Every structure is written in structure tokens, then in C-alpha cells.
Amino acid sequence: MDGARSDNRTARRGAAGKGEKVADWADGRLGIYSLGKGMRKVFPDHWSFMLGEVCLYSFIVLILTGIYLTLFFEPSGVEVVYHGSYEPLNGVMMTRAFESTLDISFDVRGGLLIRQMHHWAALVFVTGMLVHMMRVFFTGAYRKPRELNWVFGWTLLMLGIITGLTGYSLPDDLLSGTGIRFAQGAILSVPIVGTYLSFFLFGGEFPGHDIISRLFPIHVLLLPGIMLGLVVAHVILVWYHKHTQFPGPGRDQRTVTGMPLLPVYMAKAGGFFFLVFGALAIMGGLAQINPVWAFGPYRPDLVTTGAQPDWYLGFSEGLIRVMPGWEINAWGHTLVLGVFIPFSLFPLILLALGVYPFIEAWITGDKRDHHILDRPRNVPVRTGLGVAWLTLYVVLLIGGGNDIVATHLHLSINAITWFVRISVFVAPVLAFIVTQRICLGLQRRDRDKVLHGRETGTVKRLPHGEYVEVHEPLSQAQLHTLTAHEQHPPYEIGPLVDANGVRRPVKPSQRVRARLARAMFGPGTHIPKPTAEEYREVTSGDHHH
């Protein structure tokens, strides 16, 4: 009898429960057991890594608020007479697009909050992408195997700028209409085909009646769909390649030191999403942005005073504002160089950022995988180039707002224009030189800290009367962090004549590569790290106090 009861209990223990059966069924079709293992994936922890999360969460807010606005916005260029809640514009002729924007702002419950959240989220999204890419650039996180992910991020930045332009233009207010007029003028400057492109986009003479209805599906369907696919691909590659990390004890090219995705990182990421969402909600509720009712509907014969695009497009306008008004008339055509040259430089400035990782990889010839980040001070030339690029961006941004700067600072607009024209060539060079010298100075300080330790501020008098400052030796972890970077010799062509006296052919590309390598990684571009012999000599003698 007792044996039968034991057999029954064994049978009950051996039988799978309902939950286990459901889990087995799902695993056979979805592989959830392997997904569970992935939830234990380790991610390093550093404050700068949250910049990418800011981009992701603001993009989610953009999608959510954009869906809400799409329900009420009418992308129509049909002209109507306004009779709505905003009394100052009653009886004014406007497009249905502008009228529906006013209705969203004054009649739809929560409409103005969602509109402003959407606009602020767009600004934060582009800002976050640029700052995130600068973090990746200055730390060398774009190196193999992450070059493709850099291209994805750069494409997202470009698409974000274009999406912002299309969304900024949809309300058809006087400010956004001025921006569209600016874009149309740039398109007209394209030699030979500019007029045809303008007619195709606007459906005839500017402003036409088709541009809003054409921008709408591009803004709400095409560009966001492409961006969503790129975001997913970007996150998948981050997962696949594992996250980069800053140098430190226990960190190398094979291991990652940090916290698991579930539950630690997932909880932190979830909390941070609501922080970003809350911050955007506060900004949308308290900080007014793009008050279209104050600008009024767009009219081709009017321009608002101080009309400025959003900051991420300001540098493109700066290019045109500071360019001399050069024109060439030949064979019945007018080539407006004062507009076409800046219009061509706009994508080239951004393209320089996109192709840099491939140029550096070609110069170094480094085929290894890199999972440890560089400290910007240890790569002075790259850091200097990045600061020079940002300096150029800021200078052009000042040029794009030269009228605002002139009125607020009570300066001559001509003086500001000439300042920007000169600074476009001078400021990036000065920024590069100053940044490189700062990086070399920081490298010298790190070298001294490794050899002599940290300054404590305590002064000690020696028996023979000499006063010295007591230095505290660094820990092994600090020593590792300060000396973990590599300093490889730059690429060299080698001897031009072989052992038999025969001149070796050298391609022009090899000569260019050698010169660039010497300029970026040759003598004078870094301070040699202290060797183990130097460290032992200093720390074991009387020089260490």
C-alpha cells in the first residue's frame, strides 16, 4: 500500500504542470529559453551611455505624440476663412492645414500640450543624436566591428534633420512658409534642372497647393518608417557586438564588466524612459514653442522678422547668409553660386562626419576588433578634428542667426557677417590647435600621476631643510586606467630601394596614407607612456615622496 502511494507521488512529480507545458510549447516556436539567457546579458555602466537612451526614448515620444496629432491634422492647401476660438484671426483667409493646427492648439483637449511635446521631442531627439555621435566619435567607439552601426546612426541623424524640416513646414504658418521658401530658393539654384525640380515638388509655381499634402505622408509614414527600421537594426547590432566600455581593471577586449540586463539594467532603463517622458511633458506644458497663431498664416508676399529655423538647420542657413552673392550668366542660364555652393556644402559637412571612421581605418590599417574605448586625450588629432567640426557648426549657426545676434547684442549685421566669413576658415584651425595642446597637456599630467602619484596638498620638510609635497601613490586600478591605451607607430612606406638597388614602386595612395598616418599618430601627436622600468626607478628611489 505504501509502495503504491510512493509511485503515485513520483508520477505526480514527473508530470509537467500547465505552466511548464505552455512554456515548452512557446519555446518550441519562439525560443523563449534562449531569450531568457539573453536577458542576463551584461551591460557596462557609465553616464555617457544614457545619451543613446535619450535618443531612443524621445523617438518613442515622437511616435506617440505624432500619432495623436495625425488624428486631427488635415494636410490640405485648400484656402478657407477662419471662424474659430482664436478671435484675432477670425475672418482671415488661410489654408486648411493652418486652420486645423489652430484647432489642435485651442479646441482639441490636450492638443497644444501634445503639439509642444512633439516639437520639443524632435529638438531633443536631434540634439541627443548629435551629442551621442560625438561621444562615439571622441571615444573611438565606431571602430571595427561597429562601422556599420556608425553609418546607421549617421543616417538617422540625416533623416532626423529632414524629418524635422518636413514636420516644421506642415502647419503652413508664416514662419514655416518662410522656411519652405528658403528651401525652394536653394532648389532653384541647382544648375539646369533646378526649375524642373521645384515644379515637380510644388506642383507648379511656388507656393502651389500640393506641397503640404506631399510632405505629410513623407513626414508621418516614409521617413519615420525608415527611421524605425534603422533604430531596430542599430539596437540589434549593439546587442550583437556587445557594448563598448571605458578602460579599467577587469575590462579587456573579450570581457564586459557591468550589470545584467534583467533585472538591473531593465529597471534602470524603464525608470529613465519615464524621466525623459516626464521632462518632455513639463517642457511641453511650461515652455512655449512655435506659437503659430502669433505668426499668422503664410503669405508669399510677407516674411516674419527674425525668421529662424530650428537649431539643427541653422548652420545650413548660415552657409547661405554669409556667402557672397556671386552669379555667372552663360548661354541663357544664371548660375547662382551664392546659393548653390552653400547648398552643396550642407551635405558635405555632414558627410565628413559619416565617412571619417572608414578614412581612419584606411590610415591605420587596423583590422582588429575594438571593444575598449579611447580616452579623448589619448588621441589628440582625432579629438582636435571633432572639436574643429563642432566649431565650424557653431560659427555657421551664428551666421544663420546673424539678425538675431545683431538685434540682441546691438551689433552691426555686416560686422557679424564678416566675422562669420573669416571665422569659417580661422576658428576650426584655432580650435584644432588649442584642443590638441590641451590633450597633450592632459597626457603629461597623467604621465606625472603614474610616476609620482597624486598630489595631496601636504607639504613636508626634509631633514636637510628642503620642502617637498607629499604624493600619494595611485592604486593598481588607477594605474591600469591611465596606461591601458595603445600607442602604435604610424604606417610607413618603408625603404624605397630594395637590397638589390631596385627602386620599389609606390602608389600615390600609399604616400598619402603615410603622410596622414604620420600627421595623426606620428611624433608630436602623443606623450609616450611611462614604462615599467621608469615606474620602478621613480617609485623605488628618493624621488617619490
Side-chain angles (χ1 to χ4, degrees), residues 398 401-416:
I398 295 174
N402 55 0
D403 51 345
I404 299 295
V405 176
T407 55
H408 281 68
L409 300 182
H410 306 289
L411 298 174
S412 167
I413 193 170
N414 292 327
I416 296 173

Side-chain angles (χ1 to χ4, degrees), residues 127-320:
T127 304
M129 282 196 294
L130 182 61
V131 178
H132 176 59
M133 289 192 71
M134 288 297 100
R135 197 276 300 173
V136 172
F137 179 86
F138 287 124
T139 59
Y142 52 75
R143 293 171 295 176
K144 183 185 177 183
R146 296 176 178 83
E147 303 97 331
L148 187 59
N149 224 5
W150 171 268
V151 174
F152 285 167
W154 180 83
T155 307
L156 279 169
L157 177 62
M158 289 291 293
L159 292 178
I161 292 174
I162 298 173
T163 306
L165 174 63
T166 57
Y168 166 87
S169 306
L170 286 178
D172 198 37
D173 59 286
L174 188 56
L175 182 62
S176 66
T178 303
I180 282 288
R181 181 62 165 174
F182 174 86
Q184 192 252 356
I187 294 172
L188 286 176
S189 70
V190 178
I192 302 176
V193 298
T195 305
Y196 301 101
L197 288 175
S198 175
F199 269 61
F200 173 75
L201 292 174
F202 290 88
E205 291 285 352
F206 180 86
H209 296 285
D210 299 333
I211 187 64
I212 297 176
S213 58
R214 292 179 178 180
L215 288 179
F216 183 72
I218 294 174
H219 179 74
V220 303
L221 290 176
L222 179 61
L223 295 179
I226 297 174
M227 293 173 69
L228 182 60
L230 288 173
V231 167
V232 172
H234 187 80
V235 173
I236 290 175
L237 285 181
V238 170
W239 183 282
Y240 175 72
H241 291 143
K242 74 183 179 181
H243 208 292
T244 54
Q245 55 188 340
F246 283 96
R251 303 173 185 176
D252 53 38
Q253 302 292 354
R254 295 185 178 181
T255 59
V256 178
T257 303
M259 293 292 183
L261 176 65
L262 194 69
V264 179
Y265 199 80
M266 188 71 75
K268 293 173 65 176
F272 192 54
F273 166 74
F274 288 107
L275 284 175
V276 173
F277 189 94
L280 291 174
I282 293 174
M283 294 167 66
L286 300 180
Q288 178 175 273
I289 188 170
N290 198 25
V292 295
W293 54 89
F295 306 137
Y298 177 65
R299 285 177 48 182
D301 58 333
L302 296 179
V303 176
T304 58
T305 302
Q308 304 292 322
D310 286 329
W311 73 267
Y312 48 84
L313 281 171
F315 83 100
S316 63
E317 186 162 334
L319 281 166
I320 292 182

Side-chain angles (χ1 to χ4, degrees), residues 320-334:
I320 292 182
R321 288 196 183 190
V322 302
M323 182 74 185
W326 297 341
E327 291 185 359
I328 295 178
N329 295 306
W331 300 290
H333 294 278
T334 300

Side-chain angles (χ1 to χ4, degrees), residues 359-376:
I359 296 175
E360 183 180 296
W362 173 69
I363 293 173
T364 60
D366 191 355
K367 306 296 184 182
R368 301 170 301 162
D369 287 354
H370 292 273
H371 304 295
I372 299 296
L373 299 173
D374 289 329
R375 300 174 76 205

